[in-house]
Amino acid sequence: MALFWVAVIGVAILAYVILDGFDLGVGILFGATNDARLRSEMIASISPFWDGNETWLIVVGASLFAAFPVVYAVFLAAFYIPVLLLLLALIFRGIAFEFRARAARGLWDRGFVLGSVVAAFVQGAAVGAMIRGIPVVNGQYSGGTFDWVAALSIVCGIGLVLGYALLGAGWLVLKSEDAQLRDWARDRIPLLATAVVGILVVATVTAFVDRARMTGSLFMHRPWGFVFPLIGLIAIVGIFVGARRRLDSWPFAMTVVLFVAAFLSLATMFWPYMIPYSVTVASAAAPQASLSFLFWGAGLFVLPVIGLYTFVVYWMFRGRQRAGYAATSGPASAAKGERKV
C-alpha cells in the first residue's frame, strides 16, 4: 500500500507540473508582450484548462496528509513561506484571470503575470532545497525558517520559471489558431531552451558542490539512472529541431519529455527518501489499516474520477483552441447578451 500511494503522489506531481506548468508558462509569457490581441489569444488558449489543472496539486497535498503524515508535517514546517507564497500566487492569479476582462485590466494583467512567476519560482526553489537536503530530528523539521533560501534553490527557482515559460511557448504553438501568436511563441522557443540548458548546467554544478551525496545513488548504486538525463538531452535537441523545422507539436511534446526525464532523474537520486536525506518511504508511511482504507475509498473512486475528468476536458477541447472564451467574457459581450434577451 505504501508503494501504491508513493506512485499516486509521483504521478500527481508529474501531472501537476506538466498540466499547470504550461498555463503558468503562458502566464509568464503574458508579461513578455504588451499587444492586447496576443494577450487575449493567450488567455483563450488556457481558459478551458487552467482551473482543473490545479486539482492535481490538491491530490498531492491530500495524499501526503493521509498516507505520509510525517512527510506532510516536515514539508510544511520546512517550506511554510514558499507554500504560503504559492497559495497566495495561485489565488491572486485566478482572481486576475477572471477580473481582467471586467475592470482595471492593467492592474489585473500585472497580477496575472506576477502570480504566475511567483508560483513557478517557489516550486523550483523548493526542489532546490530538497536536493540540498532537509534536516530532520525525531521525525520533526530541525532547520530554520529561511533554510530553503540558498544559491541552489534560487537557481532552481529561476530554472523552473524558464522551463514553464518554454512549456507555455510550446503550448501556444500547439494550440493557438492565431498564426501571429504561434510565430511569436515559436521565435522565443530557441532562446528559452538555451536559457534552460544554461540553468541546468549551473544547477548541476551547484548541486555537485553543495550536496555531493545526492549523486551517490546515480554513480555508485544506480548507473542505469543515467538513461533519464540522456533522454532529457535528446528532448532538448528535439525542441530546437521542432522550432527550426516549424513542427507545431514538437516543442511542447519534447518539453514534456524533458520534464518527465528530469522528474525521473530526481526520483532515481532520491529513492528511497521522501524527505532527502532523512525520511524514507517505510518510516513515513501511515499504518497499513489507514493506507488500505484510503485505497478502497480515494484510490478506487476519487482518483479515477479526477483522471477521467481531466481526460474528458482535454479530449473535448482537442485541436486548435478558438478565442471563444475571451470573446464572451468581457463587459461588451455581456451587454450584447442582455440586448439579445
mmCIF file of all heavy atoms in Angstrom, residues 259-276:
data_model
loop_
_atom_site.group_PDB
_atom_site.id
_atom_site.type_symbol
_atom_site.label_atom_id
_atom_site.label_comp_id
_atom_site.label_asym_id
_atom_site.label_seq_id
_atom_site.Cartn_x
_atom_site.Cartn_y
_atom_site.Cartn_z
ATOM 1 N N PHE A 259 10.678 17.357 -19.011
ATOM 2 C CA PHE A 259 10.203 17.416 -17.634
ATOM 3 C C PHE A 259 10.080 16.018 -17.033
ATOM 4 O O PHE A 259 10.425 15.794 -15.863
ATOM 5 C CB PHE A 259 8.865 18.143 -17.571
ATOM 6 C CG PHE A 259 8.982 19.634 -17.384
ATOM 7 C CD1 PHE A 259 9.043 20.475 -18.485
ATOM 8 C CD2 PHE A 259 9.032 20.183 -16.124
ATOM 9 C CE1 PHE A 259 9.151 21.845 -18.328
ATOM 10 C CE2 PHE A 259 9.147 21.551 -15.948
ATOM 11 C CZ PHE A 259 9.214 22.393 -17.049
ATOM 12 N N VAL A 260 9.582 15.074 -17.820
ATOM 13 C CA VAL A 260 9.456 13.695 -17.329
ATOM 14 C C VAL A 260 10.843 13.124 -17.022
ATOM 15 O O VAL A 260 11.042 12.474 -15.989
ATOM 16 C CB VAL A 260 8.721 12.810 -18.357
ATOM 17 C CG1 VAL A 260 8.765 11.344 -17.938
ATOM 18 C CG2 VAL A 260 7.275 13.267 -18.519
ATOM 19 N N ALA A 261 11.799 13.374 -17.909
ATOM 20 C CA ALA A 261 13.162 12.876 -17.691
ATOM 21 C C ALA A 261 13.782 13.501 -16.443
ATOM 22 O O ALA A 261 14.457 12.812 -15.662
ATOM 23 C CB ALA A 261 14.027 13.174 -18.914
ATOM 24 N N ALA A 262 13.563 14.792 -16.233
ATOM 25 C CA ALA A 262 14.095 15.458 -15.035
ATOM 26 C C ALA A 262 13.453 14.894 -13.770
ATOM 27 O O ALA A 262 14.135 14.654 -12.765
ATOM 28 C CB ALA A 262 13.848 16.964 -15.125
ATOM 29 N N PHE A 263 12.142 14.661 -13.822
ATOM 30 C CA PHE A 263 11.444 14.104 -12.664
ATOM 31 C C PHE A 263 11.961 12.707 -12.333
ATOM 32 O O PHE A 263 12.226 12.388 -11.163
ATOM 33 C CB PHE A 263 9.948 14.051 -12.957
ATOM 34 C CG PHE A 263 9.126 13.443 -11.855
ATOM 35 C CD1 PHE A 263 8.740 14.202 -10.763
ATOM 36 C CD2 PHE A 263 8.741 12.115 -11.906
ATOM 37 C CE1 PHE A 263 7.987 13.646 -9.735
ATOM 38 C CE2 PHE A 263 7.999 11.544 -10.885
ATOM 39 C CZ PHE A 263 7.613 12.316 -9.800
ATOM 40 N N LEU A 264 12.129 11.867 -13.344
ATOM 41 C CA LEU A 264 12.615 10.508 -13.112
ATOM 42 C C LEU A 264 14.070 10.512 -12.632
ATOM 43 O O LEU A 264 14.469 9.650 -11.837
ATOM 44 C CB LEU A 264 12.464 9.670 -14.381
ATOM 45 C CG LEU A 264 11.021 9.392 -14.811
ATOM 46 C CD1 LEU A 264 10.997 8.637 -16.132
ATOM 47 C CD2 LEU A 264 10.265 8.612 -13.738
ATOM 48 N N SER A 265 14.860 11.468 -13.110
ATOM 49 C CA SER A 265 16.240 11.584 -12.629
ATOM 50 C C SER A 265 16.275 11.903 -11.143
ATOM 51 O O SER A 265 17.031 11.295 -10.371
ATOM 52 C CB SER A 265 16.983 12.668 -13.412
ATOM 53 O OG SER A 265 17.056 12.351 -14.794
ATOM 54 N N LEU A 266 15.434 12.857 -10.718
ATOM 55 C CA LEU A 266 15.382 13.205 -9.299
ATOM 56 C C LEU A 266 14.854 12.032 -8.472
ATOM 57 O O LEU A 266 15.358 11.753 -7.378
ATOM 58 C CB LEU A 266 14.488 14.428 -9.095
ATOM 59 C CG LEU A 266 15.035 15.767 -9.588
ATOM 60 C CD1 LEU A 266 13.997 16.862 -9.429
ATOM 61 C CD2 LEU A 266 16.308 16.145 -8.833
ATOM 62 N N ALA A 267 13.827 11.339 -8.994
ATOM 63 C CA ALA A 267 13.278 10.198 -8.264
ATOM 64 C C ALA A 267 14.332 9.114 -8.078
ATOM 65 O O ALA A 267 14.423 8.481 -7.013
ATOM 66 C CB ALA A 267 12.067 9.640 -9.012
ATOM 67 N N THR A 268 15.153 8.902 -9.108
ATOM 68 C CA THR A 268 16.214 7.895 -9.015
ATOM 69 C C THR A 268 17.249 8.276 -7.967
ATOM 70 O O THR A 268 17.722 7.431 -7.200
ATOM 71 C CB THR A 268 16.903 7.725 -10.383
ATOM 72 O OG1 THR A 268 15.930 7.336 -11.361
ATOM 73 C CG2 THR A 268 17.993 6.668 -10.316
ATOM 74 N N MET A 269 17.589 9.546 -7.910
ATOM 75 C CA MET A 269 18.589 10.004 -6.943
ATOM 76 C C MET A 269 18.054 10.033 -5.517
ATOM 77 O O MET A 269 18.784 9.791 -4.563
ATOM 78 C CB MET A 269 19.115 11.386 -7.348
ATOM 79 C CG MET A 269 19.956 11.375 -8.611
ATOM 80 S SD MET A 269 20.686 12.981 -8.996
ATOM 81 C CE MET A 269 19.269 13.880 -9.590
ATOM 82 N N PHE A 270 16.761 10.340 -5.357
ATOM 83 C CA PHE A 270 16.189 10.470 -4.017
ATOM 84 C C PHE A 270 15.808 9.132 -3.386
ATOM 85 O O PHE A 270 15.828 8.999 -2.165
ATOM 86 C CB PHE A 270 14.943 11.356 -4.053
ATOM 87 C CG PHE A 270 15.238 12.816 -4.220
ATOM 88 C CD1 PHE A 270 14.243 13.692 -4.625
ATOM 89 C CD2 PHE A 270 16.506 13.329 -3.983
ATOM 90 C CE1 PHE A 270 14.491 15.042 -4.781
ATOM 91 C CE2 PHE A 270 16.769 14.680 -4.137
ATOM 92 C CZ PHE A 270 15.763 15.540 -4.538
ATOM 93 N N TRP A 271 15.391 8.170 -4.190
ATOM 94 C CA TRP A 271 14.837 6.938 -3.648
ATOM 95 C C TRP A 271 15.829 6.251 -2.699
ATOM 96 O O TRP A 271 17.007 6.197 -2.998
ATOM 97 C CB TRP A 271 14.477 5.993 -4.803
ATOM 98 C CG TRP A 271 13.790 4.739 -4.344
ATOM 99 C CD1 TRP A 271 14.361 3.511 -4.164
ATOM 100 C CD2 TRP A 271 12.420 4.608 -3.985
ATOM 101 N NE1 TRP A 271 13.434 2.619 -3.716
ATOM 102 C CE2 TRP A 271 12.237 3.270 -3.583
ATOM 103 C CE3 TRP A 271 11.343 5.492 -3.938
ATOM 104 C CZ2 TRP A 271 11.003 2.789 -3.164
ATOM 105 C CZ3 TRP A 271 10.118 5.016 -3.526
ATOM 106 C CH2 TRP A 271 9.967 3.684 -3.147
ATOM 107 N N PRO A 272 15.384 5.737 -1.533
ATOM 108 C CA PRO A 272 14.001 5.593 -1.051
ATOM 109 C C PRO A 272 13.530 6.733 -0.148
ATOM 110 O O PRO A 272 12.596 6.558 0.625
ATOM 111 C CB PRO A 272 14.080 4.297 -0.243
ATOM 112 C CG PRO A 272 15.433 4.376 0.391
ATOM 113 C CD PRO A 272 16.333 5.052 -0.626
ATOM 114 N N TYR A 273 14.170 7.900 -0.238
ATOM 115 C CA TYR A 273 13.805 9.008 0.636
ATOM 116 C C TYR A 273 12.618 9.785 0.076
ATOM 117 O O TYR A 273 12.557 10.062 -1.123
ATOM 118 C CB TYR A 273 14.979 9.970 0.812
ATOM 119 C CG TYR A 273 16.165 9.370 1.522
ATOM 120 C CD1 TYR A 273 17.294 8.949 0.828
ATOM 121 C CD2 TYR A 273 16.161 9.215 2.900
ATOM 122 C CE1 TYR A 273 18.380 8.389 1.479
ATOM 123 C CE2 TYR A 273 17.244 8.661 3.576
ATOM 124 C CZ TYR A 273 18.351 8.256 2.849
ATOM 125 O OH TYR A 273 19.426 7.702 3.500
ATOM 126 N N MET A 274 11.712 10.161 0.955
ATOM 127 C CA MET A 274 10.652 11.097 0.587
ATOM 128 C C MET A 274 11.028 12.507 1.031
ATOM 129 O O MET A 274 10.628 13.491 0.402
ATOM 130 C CB MET A 274 9.319 10.681 1.209
ATOM 131 C CG MET A 274 8.755 9.388 0.649
ATOM 132 S SD MET A 274 7.008 9.142 1.060
ATOM 133 C CE MET A 274 6.210 10.343 -0.015
ATOM 134 N N ILE A 275 11.776 12.608 2.124
ATOM 135 C CA ILE A 275 12.391 13.866 2.548
ATOM 136 C C ILE A 275 13.895 13.622 2.530
ATOM 137 O O ILE A 275 14.437 12.971 3.420
ATOM 138 C CB ILE A 275 11.949 14.275 3.970
ATOM 139 C CG1 ILE A 275 10.439 14.547 4.018
ATOM 140 C CG2 ILE A 275 12.723 15.490 4.434
ATOM 141 C CD1 ILE A 275 10.000 15.787 3.278
ATOM 142 N N PRO A 276 14.570 14.088 1.480
ATOM 143 C CA PRO A 276 16.023 13.821 1.401
ATOM 144 C C PRO A 276 16.748 14.577 2.523
ATOM 145 O O PRO A 276 16.480 15.761 2.727
ATOM 146 C CB PRO A 276 16.410 14.385 0.047
ATOM 147 C CG PRO A 276 15.110 14.505 -0.704
ATOM 148 C CD PRO A 276 14.078 14.808 0.320
#
